[in-house]
Amino acid sequence: MIYLLLIYEFFKIGMFSFGGGYATIPFLYHLSLIYYWYTPNELTHMIAIASITPGPVGINVATYAGLKTAGIMGSIVATLSEMLPSFFLVIFLSKMLNKYKDSFFIKSWITTLKPIGCALLTAVIINLIKAEKNDYIGLLLVLFLIILSVKSKKETIFYMIIAGIIGILKAFFVW
């Protein structure tokens, strides 16, 4: 039964998370609240590890979540379930977008999805910081990185390295 639940939940995540691996985070956070497969705090660790390991973040987190929930078979099921919708959607949408690439509706739809994805990620970040009771360092880090990313347009890895260094310092010195 757990495998069917993993297939259902991760297929749904793969189907409705639009915008890359980080777009899966709101769904994964929701899973942590309803199934207790992992805690919100464990989710932050999973995201950190998935961000520095090779491969897409969403797939890495799905693999880890499946492993934590139902072992090796759970990780395989969760990973494949999250990848399948993308596989089929890419094939279908590539044919449709080629046909209607100049459509005003299609251009408007894609433009509208970008701020929605940013809002979802912001909401999850706020909830994860709330889960870490009185984590003012985390909140200050997020604000600092947002301001830094607006002022200096660097690659994402630059910001991940800064966040990682601060996280390590925080763990050692327990601010």
Side-chain angles (χ1 to χ4, degrees):
M1 190 63 185
I2 190 74
Y3 297 119
L4 291 176
L5 199 53
L6 282 170
I7 290 169
Y8 171 73
E9 290 298 339
F10 282 97
F11 189 87
K12 191 169 59 171
I13 288 172
M15 179 68 90
F16 296 111
S17 58
F18 182 27
Y22 291 109
T24 64
I25 295 171
F27 296 100
L28 294 166
Y29 178 73
H30 180 70
L31 287 182
S32 75
L33 298 177
I34 60 172
Y35 293 115
Y36 307 108
W37 290 339
Y38 45 84
T39 66
N41 188 34
E42 288 174 318
L43 178 61
T44 60
H45 296 277
M46 290 178 356
I47 295 166
I49 291 168
S51 296
I52 61 173
T53 55
V57 172
I59 298 298
N60 290 346
V61 173
T63 303
Y64 185 74
L67 180 70
K68 181 140 178 44
T69 305
I72 298 286
M73 194 58 166
S75 68
I76 293 168
V77 166
T79 303
L80 290 177
S81 297
E82 188 169 327
M83 288 172 30
L84 277 176
S86 298
F87 178 75
F88 292 121
L89 279 173
V90 165
I91 291 171
F92 174 74
L93 288 177
S94 67
K95 292 181 187 268
M96 296 305 289
L97 285 176
N98 268 344
K99 187 174 181 180
Y100 298 106
K101 65 184 171 193
D102 296 324
S103 163
F104 174 77
F105 174 74
I106 297 296
K107 287 180 182 177
S108 300
W109 179 62
I110 291 172
T111 303
T112 303
L113 286 174
K114 289 178 185 178
I116 291 170
C118 289
L120 282 172
L121 285 174
T122 302
V124 169
I125 288 170
I126 290 168
N127 284 330
L128 288 173
I129 289 172
K130 281 183 191 176
E132 289 282 327
K133 305 219 179 346
N134 299 323
D135 186 12
Y136 299 111
I137 299 296
L139 180 60
L140 289 174
L141 176 62
V142 169
L143 293 174
F144 170 73
L145 290 175
I146 288 171
I147 292 167
L148 187 63
S149 69
V150 168
K151 291 192 181 255
S152 65
K153 307 281 187 208
K154 297 203 184 294
E155 293 293 322
T156 308
I157 191 72
F158 172 77
Y159 304 108
M160 290 178 3
I161 290 170
I162 290 174
I165 291 169
I166 293 173
I168 290 169
L169 290 173
K170 181 182 173 199
F172 282 117
F173 297 111
V174 191
W175 292 335

